[in-house]
Amino acid sequence: MLRIISERTLEIDEELCVYFLHWQKAFDRINWTKLMQILKGTSIDWRGRRLVSNLFMAQSIKVRLNRGETRSVKIGRGVRQGFCWSPVLFNLYSECLTKEALEGFGDFKIGGQIIQIVKYADDLVLLAKEEKVLQDMVDKLIEIGECYGMEMNVEKQK
């Protein structure tokens, strides 16, 4: 996708600024209260939301050691690894975060369509024509990301 966007940019002789971003431990940082607010804003009825709430919000764990098990500890955030709904819930969470953060931004167009972002799981690529616009997008994404409980992995950003 990025290669196609780059090639189209060269064809129309426009500048393209790109920023690669990675959310740190993204699937483990999902705030359940925020997720439930997002689900309420969708067409998912109360029974579906209650199911998600019961699956995630009532979780607790024990760690088995050589000398026995630890006491039960309540899990406070994140989605389960290997659970089939986890990627869907993360994508919904991520989509709402980026939509809120990048609203009003976007000066890069291909074929009349504004393209702000390319996403793959917890990796993001921000696109803009100018460095200042790109920096403003990054700043806003960090700000809104913090409201969602997400943190950027500074070692993987470029």
Side-chain angles (χ1 to χ4, degrees):
M1 179 71 163
L2 222 49
R3 194 191 82 203
I4 293 167
I5 291 170
S6 299
E7 288 173 359
R8 292 285 303 270
T9 303
L10 289 171
E11 287 173 11
I12 57 176
D13 197 32
E14 281 197 15
E15 190 170 319
L16 174 63
C17 299
V18 179
Y19 188 86
F20 295 89
L21 182 140
H22 178 82
W23 294 118
Q24 184 173 345
K25 299 182 181 179
F27 284 79
D28 297 331
R29 292 182 175 271
I30 291 180
N31 177 313
W32 293 337
T33 305
K34 190 73 170 171
L35 178 62
M36 295 311 293
Q37 289 172 352
I38 291 168
L39 290 174
K40 195 170 188 175
T42 67
S43 60
I44 297 170
D45 70 357
W46 66 271
R47 290 178 292 269
R49 292 192 310 270
R50 184 178 64 192
L51 178 61
V52 171
S53 176
N54 289 339
L55 284 168
F56 288 100
M57 296 178 126
Q59 291 184 89
S60 62
I61 61 165
K62 290 182 179 182
V63 177
R64 186 174 294 160
L65 303 169
N66 289 338
R67 64 182 195 283
E69 292 181 342
T70 63
R71 65 179 173 81
S72 184
V73 178
K74 188 170 169 61
I75 299 173
R77 64 181 183 187
V79 291
R80 294 178 179 175
Q81 286 187 346
F83 182 55
C84 60
W85 287 7
S86 293
V88 175
L89 292 171
F90 175 77
N91 285 340
L92 180 62
Y93 195 79
S94 174
E95 183 64 26
C96 289
L97 186 163
T98 55
K99 198 173 202 178
E100 183 178 336
L102 301 178
E103 188 175 339
F105 285 104
D107 61 350
F108 182 72
K109 289 184 182 180
I110 290 183
Q113 183 74 32
I114 293 175
I115 300 174
Q116 301 169 309
I117 193 165
V118 176
K119 294 189 265 187
Y120 183 78
D122 55 357
D123 294 312
L124 305 160
V125 181
L126 299 175
L127 307 167
K129 282 184 186 178
E130 301 171 12
E131 280 186 48
K132 185 187 179 341
V133 173
L134 187 64
Q135 185 61 55
D136 290 345
M137 290 169 73
V138 171
D139 294 343
K140 189 67 173 181
L141 197 59
I142 291 169
E143 176 189 330
I144 299 299
E146 287 174 358
C147 295
Y148 278 71
M150 302 298 274
E151 191 176 308
M152 253 199 254
N153 187 341
V154 292
E155 294 172 4
K156 289 189 175 181
Q157 61 190 19
K158 300 175 189 173

